[in-house]
Every structure is written in C-alpha cells, then in structure tokens.
Amino acid sequence: MSNAVRREPQQERSTRRLASFLDAAADLFVEVGFEAATMTAIAERTGASIGTLYHYFPDKLAVASALLSQYVLEIEAHWSPLVAKAHTLTYQQFADLFIECITEFVQHRPAYLKLLAGPTRFRRDPAARRALRVAIADAFRAKNPSLSSEQALLSANVALQIVKGMTNLYTEVTPKEKPQVAAEFKKALTLYLGTILS
C-alpha cells in the first residue's frame, strides 16, 4: 500500500482514518462505479475534509490502488492455509476449495470485482505475484513430486489464469448466475489439475 499512500500513518488515529477512507471508497465503487466516484464524495462519506483525504492520497487512482493492494494481501492470506495443506487434498478438493476461496472473498469484498471490471487496469507488484505463483507451484510439487520446477510454475500460472477468468465472468453475470459460474470453473480447474496432479 505504501506506493499508493502519500504518507503512511504513524499513529493509531491516522491508521483508522486511512481505513475509513478506504472503506468509504470501496462502498462508493460498489454503489456508483470507479468512474463516477469522486475524491469529494469519499471525503464527505467519512466526514473528513477533502484536504485531509489529499494528505493521504494524491488522487482517486491512488485510493483504488491502495484498496486493491489491501485486497491482494487479504486474498493471499485467505489462500495460504489452502496452499499449505494442498498435499493432503485430492485435486478435486483443491479445485473446489480454491474456487470457493475466491467466491467467498468477492462476496465480502464486492469492490474488488468493481475495480477489476473498471476501465483502469491496476498492476500488482511483480514480486508479490511471483511469490504467490511459487507457493502454488510448491504445493503442486508436494502433491506430484515428478513435476519439474518449471512445469509446476507453469501449472500454477495456468490455474491462476483459470481463476482470473472466473472473476472476469463473475463481474458480468447476475447474482443468481454466480453459483453456476463458480460450479463451471470448478469443473474446469478440476479437469486441469487432474492432468497434472493425478
């Protein structure tokens, strides 16, 4: 988050204020979309002055970037226990739980999908992206030791692209259709993992 925030909070009160700005922005992105949300609306929703908001963020893009950085950390924390126990699961169980982790997350953090679907493309830190892929690749190698490091990393990338495809489609469908989308992507991920882990 430090790349998006002008000043990292040093006191608990500042940390709470920063969190309130991010919460307000998340609510606005869900309600009106990224494009229609404004810095003024974010400040008004928190009861802070616009100057205070600009003290933390130079613009709305920085607010969204900080929010996405927070979400990425939360997603990775959500996935970590699953990745750690992957070697004890069947590939079907792993696929189901992997997709369920994402669907649970987006239900609790609907702004994540709004930001992914927006016209602005946000880039993740390459080191963080690689760390996640390596952790998943290591889990795959623990399940199937015959995989080379390169094969496992490629498989981790493919698995994550399947999940990314699901999140992209998730943004386009109605709430009623979301469970069916998740079920179809569970099938796709299960079939794929069956070819590399069984």
Side-chain angles (χ1 to χ4, degrees), residues 80-131:
S80 291
L82 172 61
V83 171
K85 68 178 184 179
H87 66 284
T88 67
L89 303 170
T90 67
Y91 63 87
Q92 295 97 334
Q93 290 169 325
F94 183 82
D96 283 355
L97 292 171
F98 203 67
I99 297 292
E100 285 171 18
C101 276
I102 291 298
T103 57
E104 279 175 21
F105 181 80
V106 298
Q107 286 171 356
H108 291 98
R109 297 292 194 193
Y112 180 69
L113 289 181
K114 290 288 189 177
L115 290 172
L116 291 183
T120 304
R121 292 283 163 227
F122 298 94
R123 289 228 160 273
R124 277 188 60 202
D125 174 32
R129 290 180 65 198
R130 177 148 177 82

mmCIF file of all heavy atoms in Angstrom, residues 80-131:
data_model
loop_
_atom_site.group_PDB
_atom_site.id
_atom_site.type_symbol
_atom_site.label_atom_id
_atom_site.label_comp_id
_atom_site.label_asym_id
_atom_site.label_seq_id
_atom_site.Cartn_x
_atom_site.Cartn_y
_atom_site.Cartn_z
ATOM 1 N N SER A 80 -3.540 -18.904 1.717
ATOM 2 C CA SER A 80 -2.364 -19.543 2.338
ATOM 3 C C SER A 80 -2.656 -20.864 3.042
ATOM 4 O O SER A 80 -1.941 -21.846 2.826
ATOM 5 C CB SER A 80 -1.683 -18.583 3.310
ATOM 6 O OG SER A 80 -1.087 -17.548 2.596
ATOM 7 N N PRO A 81 -3.693 -20.954 3.882
ATOM 8 C CA PRO A 81 -3.954 -22.241 4.542
ATOM 9 C C PRO A 81 -4.279 -23.354 3.543
ATOM 10 O O PRO A 81 -3.877 -24.499 3.734
ATOM 11 C CB PRO A 81 -5.165 -21.952 5.442
ATOM 12 C CG PRO A 81 -5.184 -20.478 5.620
ATOM 13 C CD PRO A 81 -4.598 -19.902 4.368
ATOM 14 N N LEU A 82 -4.984 -22.996 2.475
ATOM 15 C CA LEU A 82 -5.315 -23.991 1.456
ATOM 16 C C LEU A 82 -4.057 -24.474 0.738
ATOM 17 O O LEU A 82 -3.852 -25.677 0.571
ATOM 18 C CB LEU A 82 -6.298 -23.399 0.442
ATOM 19 C CG LEU A 82 -6.592 -24.269 -0.783
ATOM 20 C CD1 LEU A 82 -7.220 -25.590 -0.371
ATOM 21 C CD2 LEU A 82 -7.496 -23.522 -1.754
ATOM 22 N N VAL A 83 -3.211 -23.547 0.352
ATOM 23 C CA VAL A 83 -1.969 -23.913 -0.338
ATOM 24 C C VAL A 83 -1.091 -24.762 0.573
ATOM 25 O O VAL A 83 -0.492 -25.744 0.136
ATOM 26 C CB VAL A 83 -1.235 -22.646 -0.837
ATOM 27 C CG1 VAL A 83 0.149 -22.979 -1.350
ATOM 28 C CG2 VAL A 83 -2.058 -21.954 -1.933
ATOM 29 N N ALA A 84 -1.055 -24.428 1.856
ATOM 30 C CA ALA A 84 -0.227 -25.171 2.810
ATOM 31 C C ALA A 84 -0.677 -26.619 2.974
ATOM 32 O O ALA A 84 0.140 -27.505 3.213
ATOM 33 C CB ALA A 84 -0.226 -24.467 4.166
ATOM 34 N N LYS A 85 -1.986 -26.865 2.854
ATOM 35 C CA LYS A 85 -2.459 -28.241 3.033
ATOM 36 C C LYS A 85 -2.800 -28.927 1.708
ATOM 37 O O LYS A 85 -3.398 -29.995 1.702
ATOM 38 C CB LYS A 85 -3.661 -28.279 3.984
ATOM 39 C CG LYS A 85 -4.933 -27.658 3.459
ATOM 40 C CD LYS A 85 -6.060 -27.811 4.475
ATOM 41 C CE LYS A 85 -7.354 -27.265 3.894
ATOM 42 N NZ LYS A 85 -8.472 -27.393 4.789
ATOM 43 N N ALA A 86 -2.389 -28.331 0.590
ATOM 44 C CA ALA A 86 -2.721 -28.876 -0.731
ATOM 45 C C ALA A 86 -2.261 -30.321 -0.891
ATOM 46 O O ALA A 86 -2.957 -31.130 -1.508
ATOM 47 C CB ALA A 86 -2.113 -28.007 -1.825
ATOM 48 N N HIS A 87 -1.119 -30.660 -0.320
ATOM 49 C CA HIS A 87 -0.586 -32.024 -0.485
ATOM 50 C C HIS A 87 -1.472 -33.078 0.191
ATOM 51 O O HIS A 87 -1.382 -34.260 -0.124
ATOM 52 C CB HIS A 87 0.854 -32.103 0.041
ATOM 53 C CG HIS A 87 0.956 -31.895 1.525
ATOM 54 N ND1 HIS A 87 0.858 -30.654 2.105
ATOM 55 C CD2 HIS A 87 1.133 -32.780 2.526
ATOM 56 C CE1 HIS A 87 0.973 -30.786 3.416
ATOM 57 N NE2 HIS A 87 1.146 -32.062 3.708
ATOM 58 N N THR A 88 -2.358 -32.655 1.089
ATOM 59 C CA THR A 88 -3.237 -33.606 1.779
ATOM 60 C C THR A 88 -4.595 -33.747 1.093
ATOM 61 O O THR A 88 -5.414 -34.563 1.514
ATOM 62 C CB THR A 88 -3.489 -33.172 3.238
ATOM 63 O OG1 THR A 88 -4.259 -31.963 3.242
ATOM 64 C CG2 THR A 88 -2.176 -32.963 3.989
ATOM 65 N N LEU A 89 -4.841 -32.930 0.057
ATOM 66 C CA LEU A 89 -6.138 -32.911 -0.605
ATOM 67 C C LEU A 89 -6.085 -33.620 -1.953
ATOM 68 O O LEU A 89 -5.038 -33.646 -2.596
ATOM 69 C CB LEU A 89 -6.577 -31.456 -0.848
ATOM 70 C CG LEU A 89 -6.673 -30.545 0.365
ATOM 71 C CD1 LEU A 89 -6.881 -29.096 -0.081
ATOM 72 C CD2 LEU A 89 -7.792 -30.989 1.284
ATOM 73 N N THR A 90 -7.231 -34.130 -2.380
ATOM 74 C CA THR A 90 -7.315 -34.614 -3.755
ATOM 75 C C THR A 90 -7.334 -33.388 -4.658
ATOM 76 O O THR A 90 -7.637 -32.270 -4.211
ATOM 77 C CB THR A 90 -8.600 -35.433 -4.000
ATOM 78 O OG1 THR A 90 -9.729 -34.558 -3.886
ATOM 79 C CG2 THR A 90 -8.711 -36.595 -3.018
ATOM 80 N N TYR A 91 -7.035 -33.588 -5.931
ATOM 81 C CA TYR A 91 -7.055 -32.435 -6.826
ATOM 82 C C TYR A 91 -8.476 -31.879 -6.961
ATOM 83 O O TYR A 91 -8.658 -30.678 -7.132
ATOM 84 C CB TYR A 91 -6.424 -32.747 -8.186
ATOM 85 C CG TYR A 91 -7.122 -33.807 -8.999
ATOM 86 C CD1 TYR A 91 -8.172 -33.473 -9.856
ATOM 87 C CD2 TYR A 91 -6.728 -35.137 -8.941
ATOM 88 C CE1 TYR A 91 -8.812 -34.442 -10.607
ATOM 89 C CE2 TYR A 91 -7.357 -36.105 -9.700
ATOM 90 C CZ TYR A 91 -8.407 -35.750 -10.537
ATOM 91 O OH TYR A 91 -9.038 -36.701 -11.283
ATOM 92 N N GLN A 92 -9.500 -32.737 -6.819
ATOM 93 C CA GLN A 92 -10.876 -32.245 -6.861
ATOM 94 C C GLN A 92 -11.167 -31.348 -5.661
ATOM 95 O O GLN A 92 -11.778 -30.277 -5.801
ATOM 96 C CB GLN A 92 -11.890 -33.410 -6.864
ATOM 97 C CG GLN A 92 -11.829 -34.286 -8.080
ATOM 98 C CD GLN A 92 -10.980 -35.546 -7.852
ATOM 99 O OE1 GLN A 92 -10.086 -35.559 -7.007
ATOM 100 N NE2 GLN A 92 -11.260 -36.589 -8.629
ATOM 101 N N GLN A 93 -10.731 -31.781 -4.475
ATOM 102 C CA GLN A 93 -10.933 -30.970 -3.268
ATOM 103 C C GLN A 93 -10.200 -29.637 -3.385
ATOM 104 O O GLN A 93 -10.737 -28.583 -3.027
ATOM 105 C CB GLN A 93 -10.439 -31.717 -2.027
ATOM 106 C CG GLN A 93 -11.278 -32.910 -1.644
ATOM 107 C CD GLN A 93 -10.604 -33.762 -0.566
ATOM 108 O OE1 GLN A 93 -9.378 -33.900 -0.536
ATOM 109 N NE2 GLN A 93 -11.419 -34.325 0.320
ATOM 110 N N PHE A 94 -8.976 -29.707 -3.885
ATOM 111 C CA PHE A 94 -8.192 -28.481 -4.030
ATOM 112 C C PHE A 94 -8.895 -27.510 -4.973
ATOM 113 O O PHE A 94 -9.030 -26.323 -4.671
ATOM 114 C CB PHE A 94 -6.781 -28.792 -4.536
ATOM 115 C CG PHE A 94 -5.919 -27.569 -4.634
ATOM 116 C CD1 PHE A 94 -5.273 -27.063 -3.524
ATOM 117 C CD2 PHE A 94 -5.770 -26.902 -5.850
ATOM 118 C CE1 PHE A 94 -4.483 -25.922 -3.614
ATOM 119 C CE2 PHE A 94 -4.994 -25.761 -5.946
ATOM 120 C CZ PHE A 94 -4.345 -25.277 -4.830
ATOM 121 N N ALA A 95 -9.364 -28.002 -6.125
ATOM 122 C CA ALA A 95 -10.050 -27.136 -7.095
ATOM 123 C C ALA A 95 -11.290 -26.507 -6.468
ATOM 124 O O ALA A 95 -11.517 -25.293 -6.596
ATOM 125 C CB ALA A 95 -10.412 -27.929 -8.344
ATOM 126 N N ASP A 96 -12.096 -27.317 -5.788
ATOM 127 C CA ASP A 96 -13.310 -26.795 -5.154
ATOM 128 C C ASP A 96 -12.988 -25.713 -4.135
ATOM 129 O O ASP A 96 -13.590 -24.628 -4.129
ATOM 130 C CB ASP A 96 -14.083 -27.919 -4.450
ATOM 131 C CG ASP A 96 -14.860 -28.799 -5.409
ATOM 132 O OD1 ASP A 96 -14.896 -28.494 -6.620
ATOM 133 O OD2 ASP A 96 -15.441 -29.795 -4.942
ATOM 134 N N LEU A 97 -12.028 -26.003 -3.264
ATOM 135 C CA LEU A 97 -11.692 -25.050 -2.203
ATOM 136 C C LEU A 97 -11.032 -23.789 -2.754
ATOM 137 O O LEU A 97 -11.245 -22.687 -2.236
ATOM 138 C CB LEU A 97 -10.803 -25.722 -1.156
ATOM 139 C CG LEU A 97 -11.492 -26.814 -0.335
ATOM 140 C CD1 LEU A 97 -10.473 -27.576 0.517
ATOM 141 C CD2 LEU A 97 -12.584 -26.216 0.544
ATOM 142 N N PHE A 98 -10.241 -23.944 -3.806
ATOM 143 C CA PHE A 98 -9.570 -22.797 -4.425
ATOM 144 C C PHE A 98 -10.605 -21.818 -4.985
ATOM 145 O O PHE A 98 -10.547 -20.610 -4.722
ATOM 146 C CB PHE A 98 -8.639 -23.299 -5.532
ATOM 147 C CG PHE A 98 -7.527 -22.359 -5.875
ATOM 148 C CD1 PHE A 98 -6.518 -22.093 -4.973
ATOM 149 C CD2 PHE A 98 -7.471 -21.758 -7.124
ATOM 150 C CE1 PHE A 98 -5.466 -21.242 -5.295
ATOM 151 C CE2 PHE A 98 -6.433 -20.903 -7.449
ATOM 152 C CZ PHE A 98 -5.431 -20.642 -6.542
ATOM 153 N N ILE A 99 -11.573 -22.352 -5.724
ATOM 154 C CA ILE A 99 -12.640 -21.510 -6.274
ATOM 155 C C ILE A 99 -13.496 -20.930 -5.146
ATOM 156 O O ILE A 99 -13.869 -19.750 -5.169
ATOM 157 C CB ILE A 99 -13.506 -22.296 -7.282
ATOM 158 C CG1 ILE A 99 -12.682 -22.739 -8.499
ATOM 159 C CG2 ILE A 99 -14.735 -21.486 -7.698
ATOM 160 C CD1 ILE A 99 -12.197 -21.648 -9.407
ATOM 161 N N GLU A 100 -13.804 -21.740 -4.130
ATOM 162 C CA GLU A 100 -14.609 -21.252 -3.010
ATOM 163 C C GLU A 100 -13.919 -20.117 -2.264
ATOM 164 O O GLU A 100 -14.580 -19.190 -1.785
ATOM 165 C CB GLU A 100 -14.954 -22.400 -2.065
ATOM 166 C CG GLU A 100 -16.031 -23.317 -2.620
ATOM 167 C CD GLU A 100 -16.241 -24.579 -1.805
ATOM 168 O OE1 GLU A 100 -15.812 -24.621 -0.630
ATOM 169 O OE2 GLU A 100 -16.849 -25.517 -2.355
ATOM 170 N N CYS A 101 -12.595 -20.180 -2.151
ATOM 171 C CA CYS A 101 -11.856 -19.085 -1.506
ATOM 172 C C CYS A 101 -12.123 -17.770 -2.229
ATOM 173 O O CYS A 101 -12.357 -16.740 -1.591
ATOM 174 C CB CYS A 101 -10.352 -19.368 -1.527
ATOM 175 S SG CYS A 101 -9.777 -20.398 -0.184
ATOM 176 N N ILE A 102 -12.091 -17.821 -3.557
ATOM 177 C CA ILE A 102 -12.310 -16.602 -4.330
ATOM 178 C C ILE A 102 -13.756 -16.133 -4.232
ATOM 179 O O ILE A 102 -14.031 -14.947 -4.027
ATOM 180 C CB ILE A 102 -11.936 -16.831 -5.807
ATOM 181 C CG1 ILE A 102 -10.424 -17.010 -5.928
ATOM 182 C CG2 ILE A 102 -12.374 -15.664 -6.694
ATOM 183 C CD1 ILE A 102 -9.631 -15.811 -5.483
ATOM 184 N N THR A 103 -14.706 -17.059 -4.372
ATOM 185 C CA THR A 103 -16.112 -16.642 -4.330
ATOM 186 C C THR A 103 -16.479 -16.080 -2.954
ATOM 187 O O THR A 103 -17.211 -15.095 -2.865
ATOM 188 C CB THR A 103 -17.061 -17.784 -4.729
ATOM 189 O OG1 THR A 103 -16.850 -18.912 -3.884
ATOM 190 C CG2 THR A 103 -16.858 -18.186 -6.182
ATOM 191 N N GLU A 104 -15.954 -16.665 -1.891
ATOM 192 C CA GLU A 104 -16.185 -16.117 -0.552
ATOM 193 C C GLU A 104 -15.613 -14.710 -0.441
ATOM 194 O O GLU A 104 -16.244 -13.803 0.099
ATOM 195 C CB GLU A 104 -15.498 -16.984 0.512
ATOM 196 C CG GLU A 104 -16.237 -18.222 0.912
ATOM 197 C CD GLU A 104 -15.406 -19.062 1.891
ATOM 198 O OE1 GLU A 104 -14.492 -18.512 2.542
ATOM 199 O OE2 GLU A 104 -15.682 -20.258 1.991
ATOM 200 N N PHE A 105 -14.405 -14.555 -0.956
ATOM 201 C CA PHE A 105 -13.738 -13.265 -0.857
ATOM 202 C C PHE A 105 -14.532 -12.186 -1.586
ATOM 203 O O PHE A 105 -14.766 -11.107 -1.043
ATOM 204 C CB PHE A 105 -12.312 -13.337 -1.404
ATOM 205 C CG PHE A 105 -11.595 -12.029 -1.294
ATOM 206 C CD1 PHE A 105 -11.035 -11.635 -0.092
ATOM 207 C CD2 PHE A 105 -11.514 -11.178 -2.377
ATOM 208 C CE1 PHE A 105 -10.402 -10.404 0.033
ATOM 209 C CE2 PHE A 105 -10.885 -9.948 -2.263
ATOM 210 C CZ PHE A 105 -10.328 -9.564 -1.061
ATOM 211 N N VAL A 106 -14.953 -12.458 -2.818
ATOM 212 C CA VAL A 106 -15.647 -11.415 -3.583
ATOM 213 C C VAL A 106 -17.036 -11.126 -3.023
ATOM 214 O O VAL A 106 -17.554 -10.033 -3.222
ATOM 215 C CB VAL A 106 -15.693 -11.720 -5.096
ATOM 216 C CG1 VAL A 106 -14.289 -11.780 -5.673
ATOM 217 C CG2 VAL A 106 -16.462 -12.975 -5.402
ATOM 218 N N GLN A 107 -17.616 -12.075 -2.313
ATOM 219 C CA GLN A 107 -18.884 -11.785 -1.645
ATOM 220 C C GLN A 107 -18.687 -10.779 -0.514
ATOM 221 O O GLN A 107 -19.533 -9.925 -0.275
ATOM 222 C CB GLN A 107 -19.522 -13.066 -1.104
ATOM 223 C CG GLN A 107 -20.116 -13.934 -2.181
ATOM 224 C CD GLN A 107 -20.553 -15.302 -1.665
ATOM 225 O OE1 GLN A 107 -20.349 -15.628 -0.502
ATOM 226 N NE2 GLN A 107 -21.137 -16.094 -2.540
ATOM 227 N N HIS A 108 -17.555 -10.898 0.187
ATOM 228 C CA HIS A 108 -17.267 -9.983 1.299
ATOM 229 C C HIS A 108 -16.619 -8.682 0.837
ATOM 230 O O HIS A 108 -16.657 -7.689 1.557
ATOM 231 C CB HIS A 108 -16.364 -10.676 2.329
ATOM 232 C CG HIS A 108 -17.062 -11.770 3.064
ATOM 233 N ND1 HIS A 108 -16.942 -13.085 2.719
ATOM 234 C CD2 HIS A 108 -17.914 -11.733 4.102
ATOM 235 C CE1 HIS A 108 -17.685 -13.826 3.519
ATOM 236 N NE2 HIS A 108 -18.284 -13.030 4.369
ATOM 237 N N ARG A 109 -16.010 -8.704 -0.334
ATOM 238 C CA ARG A 109 -15.320 -7.524 -0.860
ATOM 239 C C ARG A 109 -15.790 -7.225 -2.283
ATOM 240 O O ARG A 109 -15.041 -7.372 -3.246
ATOM 241 C CB ARG A 109 -13.798 -7.744 -0.851
ATOM 242 C CG ARG A 109 -13.188 -7.947 0.513
ATOM 243 C CD ARG A 109 -13.277 -6.691 1.319
ATOM 244 N NE ARG A 109 -12.407 -6.761 2.488
ATOM 245 C CZ ARG A 109 -12.478 -5.910 3.469
ATOM 246 N NH1 ARG A 109 -13.364 -4.942 3.451
ATOM 247 N NH2 ARG A 109 -11.666 -6.012 4.496
ATOM 248 N N PRO A 110 -17.048 -6.814 -2.451
ATOM 249 C CA PRO A 110 -17.575 -6.611 -3.807
ATOM 250 C C PRO A 110 -16.845 -5.520 -4.594
ATOM 251 O O PRO A 110 -16.872 -5.527 -5.822
ATOM 252 C CB PRO A 110 -19.047 -6.255 -3.568
ATOM 253 C CG PRO A 110 -19.121 -5.805 -2.149
ATOM 254 C CD PRO A 110 -18.040 -6.543 -1.416
ATOM 255 N N ALA A 111 -16.192 -4.606 -3.916
ATOM 256 C CA ALA A 111 -15.449 -3.562 -4.635
ATOM 257 C C ALA A 111 -14.297 -4.166 -5.434
ATOM 258 O O ALA A 111 -13.878 -3.590 -6.441
ATOM 259 C CB ALA A 111 -14.926 -2.519 -3.656
ATOM 260 N N TYR A 112 -13.793 -5.308 -5.013
ATOM 261 C CA TYR A 112 -12.703 -5.968 -5.745
ATOM 262 C C TYR A 112 -13.124 -6.231 -7.186
ATOM 263 O O TYR A 112 -12.395 -5.904 -8.124
ATOM 264 C CB TYR A 112 -12.329 -7.265 -5.022
ATOM 265 C CG TYR A 112 -11.221 -8.045 -5.684
ATOM 266 C CD1 TYR A 112 -9.924 -7.563 -5.707
ATOM 267 C CD2 TYR A 112 -11.464 -9.279 -6.274
ATOM 268 C CE1 TYR A 112 -8.899 -8.273 -6.305
ATOM 269 C CE2 TYR A 112 -10.461 -10.005 -6.870
ATOM 270 C CZ TYR A 112 -9.170 -9.499 -6.889
ATOM 271 O OH TYR A 112 -8.168 -10.209 -7.485
ATOM 272 N N LEU A 113 -14.304 -6.805 -7.376
ATOM 273 C CA LEU A 113 -14.785 -7.076 -8.729
ATOM 274 C C LEU A 113 -15.053 -5.784 -9.494
ATOM 275 O O LEU A 113 -14.772 -5.703 -10.688
ATOM 276 C CB LEU A 113 -16.055 -7.925 -8.688
ATOM 277 C CG LEU A 113 -15.872 -9.384 -8.272
ATOM 278 C CD1 LEU A 113 -17.211 -10.102 -8.290
ATOM 279 C CD2 LEU A 113 -14.878 -10.097 -9.167
ATOM 280 N N LYS A 114 -15.578 -4.781 -8.815
ATOM 281 C CA LYS A 114 -15.842 -3.498 -9.478
ATOM 282 C C LYS A 114 -14.550 -2.891 -10.012
ATOM 283 O O LYS A 114 -14.508 -2.357 -11.115
ATOM 284 C CB LYS A 114 -16.524 -2.511 -8.530
ATOM 285 C CG LYS A 114 -17.933 -2.873 -8.179
ATOM 286 C CD LYS A 114 -18.858 -2.653 -9.361
ATOM 287 C CE LYS A 114 -20.305 -2.820 -8.927
ATOM 288 N NZ LYS A 114 -21.225 -2.559 -10.018
ATOM 289 N N LEU A 115 -13.492 -2.980 -9.213
ATOM 290 C CA LEU A 115 -12.212 -2.419 -9.651
ATOM 291 C C LEU A 115 -11.601 -3.240 -10.777
ATOM 292 O O LEU A 115 -11.020 -2.699 -11.710
ATOM 293 C CB LEU A 115 -11.250 -2.313 -8.464
ATOM 294 C CG LEU A 115 -11.637 -1.252 -7.437
ATOM 295 C CD1 LEU A 115 -10.750 -1.347 -6.209
ATOM 296 C CD2 LEU A 115 -11.581 0.144 -8.041
ATOM 297 N N LEU A 116 -11.744 -4.562 -10.712
ATOM 298 C CA LEU A 116 -11.217 -5.403 -11.789
ATOM 299 C C LEU A 116 -11.950 -5.158 -13.098
ATOM 300 O O LEU A 116 -11.362 -5.255 -14.175
ATOM 301 C CB LEU A 116 -11.334 -6.885 -11.417
ATOM 302 C CG LEU A 116 -10.439 -7.394 -10.295
ATOM 303 C CD1 LEU A 116 -10.644 -8.887 -10.108
ATOM 304 C CD2 LEU A 116 -8.969 -7.092 -10.572
ATOM 305 N N ALA A 117 -13.238 -4.856 -13.003
ATOM 306 C CA ALA A 117 -14.053 -4.656 -14.204
ATOM 307 C C ALA A 117 -13.973 -3.220 -14.739
ATOM 308 O O ALA A 117 -14.455 -2.949 -15.833
ATOM 309 C CB ALA A 117 -15.508 -4.995 -13.907
ATOM 310 N N GLY A 118 -13.375 -2.338 -13.988
ATOM 311 C CA GLY A 118 -13.319 -0.933 -14.394
ATOM 312 C C GLY A 118 -12.406 -0.704 -15.587
ATOM 313 O O GLY A 118 -11.644 -1.587 -15.996
ATOM 314 N N PRO A 119 -12.463 0.495 -16.134
ATOM 315 C CA PRO A 119 -11.658 0.807 -17.312
ATOM 316 C C PRO A 119 -10.169 0.958 -17.018
ATOM 317 O O PRO A 119 -9.350 0.879 -17.923
ATOM 318 C CB PRO A 119 -12.250 2.138 -17.791
ATOM 319 C CG PRO A 119 -12.843 2.744 -16.563
ATOM 320 C CD PRO A 119 -13.310 1.592 -15.720
ATOM 321 N N THR A 120 -9.827 1.158 -15.763
ATOM 322 C CA THR A 120 -8.425 1.317 -15.391
ATOM 323 C C THR A 120 -7.841 -0.037 -15.024
ATOM 324 O O THR A 120 -8.426 -0.788 -14.253
ATOM 325 C CB THR A 120 -8.300 2.278 -14.190
ATOM 326 O OG1 THR A 120 -8.917 3.511 -14.537
ATOM 327 C CG2 THR A 120 -6.855 2.521 -13.818
ATOM 328 N N ARG A 121 -6.690 -0.355 -15.566
ATOM 329 C CA ARG A 121 -6.002 -1.611 -15.248
ATOM 330 C C ARG A 121 -4.965 -1.328 -14.163
ATOM 331 O O ARG A 121 -4.111 -0.456 -14.319
ATOM 332 C CB ARG A 121 -5.310 -2.194 -16.476
ATOM 333 C CG ARG A 121 -6.274 -2.681 -17.511
ATOM 334 C CD ARG A 121 -6.852 -4.018 -17.083
ATOM 335 N NE ARG A 121 -8.043 -4.312 -17.838
ATOM 336 C CZ ARG A 121 -9.164 -4.740 -17.320
ATOM 337 N NH1 ARG A 121 -9.277 -4.904 -16.029
ATOM 338 N NH2 ARG A 121 -10.201 -5.015 -18.059
ATOM 339 N N PHE A 122 -5.078 -2.066 -13.083
ATOM 340 C CA PHE A 122 -4.157 -1.899 -11.965
ATOM 341 C C PHE A 122 -3.115 -2.999 -12.017
ATOM 342 O O PHE A 122 -3.434 -4.154 -12.267
ATOM 343 C CB PHE A 122 -4.918 -1.964 -10.635
ATOM 344 C CG PHE A 122 -5.937 -0.883 -10.494
ATOM 345 C CD1 PHE A 122 -7.258 -1.107 -10.855
ATOM 346 C CD2 PHE A 122 -5.577 0.360 -10.022
ATOM 347 C CE1 PHE A 122 -8.205 -0.110 -10.737
ATOM 348 C CE2 PHE A 122 -6.528 1.368 -9.894
ATOM 349 C CZ PHE A 122 -7.841 1.133 -10.253
ATOM 350 N N ARG A 123 -1.880 -2.655 -11.791
ATOM 351 C CA ARG A 123 -0.802 -3.630 -11.823
ATOM 352 C C ARG A 123 -0.408 -4.025 -10.417
ATOM 353 O O ARG A 123 -0.279 -3.187 -9.538
ATOM 354 C CB ARG A 123 0.399 -3.040 -12.525
ATOM 355 C CG ARG A 123 0.150 -2.902 -14.006
ATOM 356 C CD ARG A 123 1.318 -3.456 -14.687
ATOM 357 N NE ARG A 123 1.339 -3.885 -16.003
ATOM 358 C CZ ARG A 123 1.010 -5.088 -16.426
ATOM 359 N NH1 ARG A 123 0.486 -5.959 -15.641
ATOM 360 N NH2 ARG A 123 1.203 -5.442 -17.653
ATOM 361 N N ARG A 124 -0.206 -5.337 -10.249
ATOM 362 C CA ARG A 124 0.279 -5.832 -8.962
ATOM 363 C C ARG A 124 1.789 -5.825 -8.946
ATOM 364 O O ARG A 124 2.423 -5.890 -9.991
ATOM 365 C CB ARG A 124 -0.205 -7.272 -8.756
ATOM 366 C CG ARG A 124 -1.590 -7.341 -8.230
ATOM 367 C CD ARG A 124 -1.987 -8.742 -7.864
ATOM 368 N NE ARG A 124 -1.125 -9.283 -6.852
ATOM 369 C CZ ARG A 124 -0.949 -10.577 -6.637
ATOM 370 N NH1 ARG A 124 -1.588 -11.454 -7.356
ATOM 371 N NH2 ARG A 124 -0.150 -11.002 -5.696
ATOM 372 N N ASP A 125 2.323 -5.798 -7.761
ATOM 373 C CA ASP A 125 3.763 -5.871 -7.583
ATOM 374 C C ASP A 125 4.260 -7.198 -8.153
ATOM 375 O O ASP A 125 3.788 -8.267 -7.741
ATOM 376 C CB ASP A 125 4.072 -5.768 -6.083
ATOM 377 C CG ASP A 125 5.527 -5.985 -5.767
ATOM 378 O OD1 ASP A 125 6.374 -5.622 -6.591
ATOM 379 O OD2 ASP A 125 5.811 -6.519 -4.680
ATOM 380 N N PRO A 126 5.206 -7.176 -9.107
ATOM 381 C CA PRO A 126 5.687 -8.421 -9.716
ATOM 382 C C PRO A 126 6.258 -9.410 -8.702
ATOM 383 O O PRO A 126 6.093 -10.623 -8.855
ATOM 384 C CB PRO A 126 6.770 -7.953 -10.702
ATOM 385 C CG PRO A 126 6.463 -6.519 -10.968
ATOM 386 C CD PRO A 126 5.797 -5.994 -9.727
ATOM 387 N N ALA A 127 6.918 -8.920 -7.676
ATOM 388 C CA ALA A 127 7.483 -9.825 -6.662
ATOM 389 C C ALA A 127 6.375 -10.542 -5.900
ATOM 390 O O ALA A 127 6.472 -11.741 -5.619
ATOM 391 C CB ALA A 127 8.380 -9.048 -5.695
ATOM 392 N N ALA A 128 5.297 -9.837 -5.581
ATOM 393 C CA ALA A 128 4.173 -10.462 -4.877
ATOM 394 C C ALA A 128 3.484 -11.480 -5.776
ATOM 395 O O ALA A 128 3.097 -12.564 -5.321
ATOM 396 C CB ALA A 128 3.181 -9.389 -4.424
ATOM 397 N N ARG A 129 3.325 -11.144 -7.051
ATOM 398 C CA ARG A 129 2.713 -12.085 -7.996
ATOM 399 C C ARG A 129 3.542 -13.358 -8.089
ATOM 400 O O ARG A 129 3.026 -14.465 -8.078
ATOM 401 C CB ARG A 129 2.593 -11.439 -9.386
ATOM 402 C CG ARG A 129 1.574 -10.333 -9.444
ATOM 403 C CD ARG A 129 1.494 -9.736 -10.817
ATOM 404 N NE ARG A 129 0.986 -10.753 -11.732
ATOM 405 C CZ ARG A 129 1.115 -10.690 -13.040
ATOM 406 N NH1 ARG A 129 1.733 -9.696 -13.608
ATOM 407 N NH2 ARG A 129 0.617 -11.640 -13.795
ATOM 408 N N ARG A 130 4.841 -13.189 -8.191
ATOM 409 C CA ARG A 130 5.722 -14.361 -8.318
ATOM 410 C C ARG A 130 5.678 -15.200 -7.041
ATOM 411 O O ARG A 130 5.652 -16.426 -7.108
ATOM 412 C CB ARG A 130 7.149 -13.929 -8.622
ATOM 413 C CG ARG A 130 8.111 -15.114 -8.681
ATOM 414 C CD ARG A 130 9.236 -14.912 -9.650
ATOM 415 N NE ARG A 130 10.163 -16.022 -9.628
ATOM 416 C CZ ARG A 130 9.990 -17.164 -10.276
ATOM 417 N NH1 ARG A 130 8.912 -17.359 -10.987
ATOM 418 N NH2 ARG A 130 10.883 -18.130 -10.203
ATOM 419 N N ALA A 131 5.656 -14.560 -5.882
ATOM 420 C CA ALA A 131 5.633 -15.305 -4.615
ATOM 421 C C ALA A 131 4.395 -16.194 -4.530
ATOM 422 O O ALA A 131 4.475 -17.345 -4.091
ATOM 423 C CB ALA A 131 5.683 -14.337 -3.437
#
